[in-house]
Amino acid sequence: MQTQTLKVKGMHCASCASIIEKTLNQVSGVESAEVNYGTEKTKVSYDPSKTNPSMMSSHIEALGYSLDAKGTAEEMGMTEDEHAHHLGLAQSKQEKLLELESMRKNVLTALPLAAIAIIFMGWEMMAEFMLVPMMNTVLSQFMHHLLPVIATYILFVVGKPYLLGLIRFIRYGKANMDTLIGLGTVAAYMYSFTIGAFEEVLASFINVDYQYYDVTIVVITFVALGKYLETRSKLKTGDAIEKLLNLQAKTALVLREGKEIELSVSEVKLGEFIIVKPGSKIPVDGIITEGESFVDESMVTGEPMPVQKSGGDSVTSGTINTTGSFVFKATRVGSETVLAQIITMVEDAQGSKAPIQALADKISAVFVPVVLVIAVLTLGVWLAVGSQYLGFSQALSFGLVSFVGILVIACPCALGLATPTSIIVGVGKGAKEGILIKDAASLEMLHRVDTVVVDKTGTITKGKPTLTDVQNFSHMSKDEFIAIIASLETKSEHPIARAIVDYAKSKRLKLFTVTKFKSLQGKGVQGTVNGVEYFVGNARIVSELELVFDFKQIESFTQQGKTPVLLTTKEEVLGFVMVADEIKEESEKAVADLGRLGIDIVMLTGDEEKAAKHIASLVGISKVVANVLPQDKLNEIQSLQQAGKIVAMAGDGVNDAPALAQADVGIAMGTGTDVAIESAGITLLRGDISKLVKAIRLSKITMRGIKQNLFWAFIYNTMGIPLAAGVFYPIFGWVLNPVFAGFAMAMSSVSVVANSLRIKSKKL
């Protein structure tokens, strides 16, 4: 099976998405198709031996839609896969801008014409109530001849999509929003045209004074204006992707056969050597082989300070070289780079469906046919019942107004936009905050989480040893004491040795030349510095040298999970340093913030119990499960779930992957392993645990936005239909003019998108 995300053209509403989804799922060879109205894309899993995007597109082309699978990729010199996952999104933006410009021209043409119809309609209405004088005969006759001309232009030019929707409904029985608008406005237009053409014949049995050309004009204009504003707003919802795309370098300076050649990023091959000059963006991921510089990595880490990079250090695409020049070897290119994967993750999440959307999808799928039935029944009831009390002419007039009003006000646009627009904005805001959301289901579930399980190493702690304490008993200064230990440890590859050396380098300590170096297996190292023989290592060295030392001095440290490294000569112990996995600066505040949100926190670790409990106490975690294997972590998650808890698991290692996959929401530290990131639904860049609190707040804000949108969309449709049908006419004398129905329908879609965009301004 092959899974591909394809752009859908011609989609105008939620019921369009439903029609396309149903049709594609019926195509032979298609295992599943998921269409998202918000992103105007479909994710299709299919058997390439039975079908392909071109064949799938042919099944929906008759209905007025198509799949865009090819074209841009070849133009950009990329594979289809790279195009879909990488640079091709910019082309989609360009097409949308062209579509928006076309819509804008239609709206600018229609608005003045609609204004004429509204002024004429308003004048006549007010004249009936004697609020203004009657329009003079010449002007009245001129307007009655002008309105049919305007209505014809509006219906057949501006309203062309709605006419096509009506034609497709007649031919294929597939109804969408365009069908409703088309049917309503065509009915109003044909009724008015018939009365105008056969006025004398019809005058004897129906009232020919009322024509509804203004309804056709104003409804189509309002709907077109609403769609234009909606499309313009939807462009803003996806700007997270655009900003990520703008981070990419377009070209790279590659060394080929000893020459510097400037190439498109898509032409860079794995293993090639690339030159980066000051101020340039790094085009692909790699490892520095020559030179050094400071690199602005705020795109990935969120840290404003540039990071020093030299030989052997890794660099990431999209980050910016600030000062020096360097050469690096490409280790990841195209869709494999970190930035490309971030873009893919954000785009996939924006295109995925939250479970709450299933409700809106189901309703939208049946809404249009039900509305058509209600509209026809309403017209029938007006004619059958209304004729007995109002006369046929008045009943037909009210029946037609109600028929058109129902079709217009019931369009499920707002319903279809309610969920995807909030998800798009929420995922985009998350990406900006360094919270990468893999799918909408994770974002939705996160707001329900009541228990967060955290790994210790790499999540609460930094995940690498750091020198934390110094006890110097010698006559040397503290700096000299550390420098001697670091000088001896430079020859060792042990992580603890590396931590001491890194600490010395960070303090800019000058290291000494070591002679007669010797590694002592399982104990430490020895060597001569300035003519003095030193030993560096664990407690076994002290015991073997039979030196006097009170081991209680290191006990309190070891109980905290710290590892002692002692410096001795053959005669005495000179002191010791402690190395430990240091707690992240943000951990304590993050735990406190989670507690304030009413969330229980459990720490799971493979570490020894005393050390684990000490670390937990420092950050404020009371529940600790220590000495656990990967399978135990998984079992612990399962037991919490069986107790009715909604569990989020935060971890960074391969050993966390099973638990991350089992949790209701898996949260990976961005500094962790690929396996952990792959198993999780959400990734926190820079491994910042405080972003977990922001992610939960983002989920709550997004879900609140979705629920508000759905509430208003449901209320709007359920209240609007009875009003448009004339249910309140016998009681209050209310009949909803289709013009107001069109305005309300257009504004409901715009208000839903506007409400979703509010998520951007919320502080996490």
Side-chain angles (χ1 to χ4, degrees):
M1 281 290 167
Q2 185 174 330
T3 301
Q4 204 170 348
T5 301
L6 305 167
K7 194 165 60 171
V8 183
K9 290 185 175 178
M11 199 161 42
H12 299 106
C13 65
S15 44
C16 290
S18 177
I19 290 167
I20 296 163
E21 197 169 283
K22 276 185 182 175
T23 307
L24 290 176
N25 277 312
Q26 289 166 1
V27 174
S28 175
V30 173
E31 187 182 71
S32 68
E34 192 179 88
V35 179
N36 189 300
Y37 171 44
T39 56
E40 293 173 12
K41 287 185 172 68
T42 178
K43 192 174 184 179
V44 192
S45 293
Y46 62 95
D47 183 347
S49 64
K50 292 182 181 176
T51 188
N52 57 49
S54 180
M55 289 165 70
M56 285 184 268
S57 183
S58 66
H59 281 82
I60 59 171
E61 277 166 12
L63 305 173
Y65 315 108
S66 63
L67 299 178
D68 185 15
K70 290 195 174 183
T72 316
E74 287 90 343
E75 288 169 24
M76 297 179 80
M78 299 173 76
T79 67
E80 278 180 35
D81 182 57
E82 282 176 332
H83 173 253
H85 288 89
H86 208 26
L87 298 173
L89 294 166
Q91 191 70 17
S92 167
K93 168 94 172 182
Q94 190 59 36
E95 287 179 9
K96 280 211 173 79
L97 287 171
L98 289 171
E99 182 190 358
L100 193 65
E101 182 58 25
S102 172
M103 291 169 80
R104 191 178 75 90
K105 285 176 182 173
N106 275 344
V107 167
L108 288 177
T109 308
L111 279 174
L113 300 176
I116 294 168
I118 290 167
I119 291 166
F120 178 63
M121 179 175 63
W123 193 326
E124 284 200 325
M125 282 170 65
M126 287 190 290
E128 279 186 34
F129 294 101
M130 293 183 286
L131 297 172
V132 295
M134 293 290 289
M135 193 178 288
N136 70 59
T137 310
V138 175
L139 184 57
S140 178
Q141 285 298 315
F142 172 72
M143 289 304 297
H144 276 290
H145 285 90
L146 178 63
L147 283 181
V149 176
I150 295 174
T152 303
Y153 170 78
I154 294 287
L155 180 64
F156 291 97
V157 178
V158 181
K160 188 180 175 184
Y162 313 117
L163 287 177
L164 292 173
L166 181 57
I167 292 164
R168 284 193 292 272
F169 172 63
I170 294 165
R171 285 183 64 187
Y172 304 106
K174 304 278 188 183
N176 62 7
M177 187 205 85
D178 294 351
T179 309
L180 300 182
I181 303 296
L183 193 57
T185 51
V186 166
Y189 179 85
M190 292 307 296
Y191 173 83
S192 306
F193 180 80
T194 305
I195 284 179
F198 306 103
E199 189 173 345
E200 292 178 9
V201 178
L202 298 172
S204 56
F205 59 93
I206 65 169
N207 187 343
V208 294
D209 292 337
Y210 293 100
Q211 295 181 9
Y212 298 105
Y213 285 121
D214 49 8
V215 169
T216 301
I217 296 163
V218 180
V219 165
I220 288 176
T221 301
F222 275 149
V223 172
L225 175 63
K227 293 303 290 179
Y228 167 70
L229 293 173
E230 179 191 306
T231 304
R232 197 174 70 170
S233 297
K234 274 170 69 181
L235 273 175
K236 291 180 187 174
T237 64
D239 63 1
I241 289 285
E242 188 185 0
K243 283 175 183 171
L244 286 170
L245 285 165
N246 289 337
L247 294 172
Q248 294 173 319
K250 302 293 182 284
T251 59
L253 202 58
V254 181
L255 276 172
R256 281 188 184 172
E257 297 174 5
K259 293 180 182 176
E260 294 181 16
I261 307 169
E262 190 168 4
L263 301 171
S264 165
V265 171
S266 59
E267 294 178 65
V268 176
K269 293 173 185 172
L270 201 65
E272 285 195 303
F273 290 91
I274 297 157
I275 300 165
V276 182
K277 296 186 175 177
S280 300
K281 282 183 182 176
I282 294 166
V284 294
D285 296 358
I287 293 173
I288 294 177
T289 55
E290 287 177 42
E292 58 179 46
S293 181
F294 282 85
V295 176
D296 178 356
E297 292 189 321
S298 56
M299 179 275 291
V300 173
T301 65
E303 288 296 313
M305 292 296 290
V307 180
Q308 188 170 11
K309 298 280 184 178
S310 56
D313 290 334
S314 60
V315 288
T316 306
S317 62
T319 56
I320 300 167
N321 178 31
T322 58
T323 52
S325 296
F326 59 85
V327 177
F328 75 94
K329 184 180 181 180
T331 55
R332 290 180 179 178
V333 298
S335 59
E336 295 298 312
T337 65
V338 169
L339 181 57
Q341 287 170 357
I342 289 172
I343 292 169
T344 302
M345 195 182 286
V346 174
E347 194 198 12
D348 286 350
Q350 289 187 337
S352 64
K353 288 186 179 182
I356 197 169
Q357 193 174 335
L359 175 65
D361 286 348
K362 283 175 187 172
I363 291 169
S364 295
V366 297
F367 207 70
V368 175
V370 168
V371 166
L372 283 170
V373 171
I374 291 171
V376 172
L377 285 175
T378 300
L379 179 58
V381 170
W382 270 109
L383 292 175
V385 181
S387 298
Q388 297 175 30
Y389 300 97
L390 304 170
F392 179 77
S393 176
Q394 188 73 2
L396 178 62
S397 179
F398 281 161
L400 183 67
V401 166
S402 297
F403 176 78
V404 176
I406 288 169
L407 294 178
V408 171
I409 204 166
C411 292
C413 260
L415 199 58
L417 286 167
T419 301
T421 50
S422 290
I423 293 293
I424 290 165
V425 176
V427 169
K429 185 172 179 65
K432 200 175 174 185
E433 295 279 353
I435 303 160
L436 297 185
I437 298 155
K438 194 183 285 184
D439 56 70
S442 295
L443 182 62
E444 179 181 335
M445 181 59 77
L446 194 56
H447 89 287
R448 294 173 53 206
V449 163
D450 53 27
T451 305
V452 170
V453 176
V454 293
D455 174 45
K456 179 178 77 72
T457 309
T459 303
I460 295 295
T461 64
K462 291 180 177 176
K464 63 176 186 177
T466 310
L467 193 150
T468 58
D469 305 273
V470 180
Q471 293 288 320
N472 177 16
F473 310 141
S474 72
H475 62 276
M476 294 182 280
S477 69
K478 181 182 172 183
D479 284 354
E480 188 183 352
F481 174 77
I482 294 168
I484 287 174
I485 299 175
S487 301
L488 287 156
E489 293 284 31
T490 49
K491 309 246 183 205
S492 171
E493 290 301 316
H494 196 282
I496 288 175
R498 184 58 41 210
I500 295 168
V501 174
D502 288 346
Y503 179 85
K505 282 183 179 177
S506 72
K507 297 291 181 184
R508 300 185 185 277
L509 301 181
K510 187 180 178 185
L511 299 188
F512 301 102
T513 304
V514 178
T515 57
K516 300 179 183 177
F517 177 83
K518 188 178 177 184
S519 178
L520 307 171
Q521 195 67 35
K523 290 173 283 189
V525 296
Q526 74 178 77
T528 302
V529 175
N530 295 334
V532 180
E533 187 178 31
Y534 292 101
F535 297 83
V536 172
N538 56 32
R540 286 176 64 188
I541 282 182
V542 177
S543 300
E544 287 194 8
L545 290 171
E546 298 179 350
L547 300 174
V548 177
F549 180 68
D550 183 3
F551 284 101
K552 284 182 180 175
Q553 292 180 77
I554 61 172
E555 256 181 44
S556 60
F557 291 106
T558 55
Q559 284 175 358
Q560 296 171 19
K562 296 178 180 180
T563 303
V565 177
L566 296 103
L567 175 66
T568 78
T569 61
K570 282 185 177 178
E571 292 80 30
E572 62 178 331
V573 176
L574 300 174
F576 61 86
V577 295
M578 283 290 169
V579 175
D581 185 3
E582 208 172 14
I583 292 167
K584 292 178 181 176
E585 293 83 356
E586 64 272 10
S587 292
E588 189 178 353
K589 185 178 184 302
V591 169
D593 288 343
L594 286 169
R596 277 191 283 273
L597 289 171
I599 293 168
D600 290 333
I601 306 157
V602 181
M603 189 168 87
L604 287 184
T605 177
D607 205 351
E608 186 268 326
E609 191 168 357
K610 271 189 181 177
K613 283 190 172 176
H614 174 74
I615 294 291
S617 68
L618 291 177
V619 295
I621 297 174
S622 56
K623 296 176 186 173
V624 179
V625 183
N627 296 312
V628 288
L629 299 170
Q631 185 59 41
D632 300 326
K633 290 187 179 183
L634 176 65
N635 294 340
E636 191 65 31
I637 298 285
Q638 286 174 333
S639 65
L640 285 166
Q641 289 171 327
Q642 284 160 10
K645 302 286 187 182
I646 307 292
V647 184
M649 164 76 187
D652 75 324
V654 174
N655 62 330
D656 297 319
L660 288 170
Q662 173 64 36
D664 296 289
V665 183
I667 299 160
M669 299 293 115
T671 48
T673 62
D674 291 345
V675 178
I677 291 168
E678 198 58 41
S679 304
I682 293 172
T683 300
L684 306 180
L685 289 183
R686 207 167 55 86
D688 185 347
I689 188 73
S690 68
K691 292 185 191 296
L692 173 53
V693 182
K694 289 187 173 184
I696 292 170
R697 286 188 187 132
L698 176 65
S699 175
K700 288 180 185 290
I701 291 166
T702 306
M703 289 311 299
R704 198 180 306 132
I706 289 172
K707 285 171 183 174
Q708 287 167 352
N709 287 349
L710 287 172
F711 172 78
W712 288 114
F714 279 126
I715 288 294
Y716 162 80
N717 281 317
T718 50
M719 287 183 66
I721 292 172
L723 181 61
V727 169
F728 301 108
Y729 180 77
I731 308 164
F732 304 110
W734 294 348
V735 176
L736 183 68
N737 191 305
V739 167
F740 297 110
F743 178 76
M745 189 277 288
M747 290 304 104
S748 71
S749 291
V750 173
S751 64
V752 161
V753 176
N755 189 49
S756 296
L757 287 168
R758 281 194 321 124
I759 295 168
K760 279 186 178 184
S761 62
K762 297 283 184 183
K763 190 176 179 184
L764 296 181

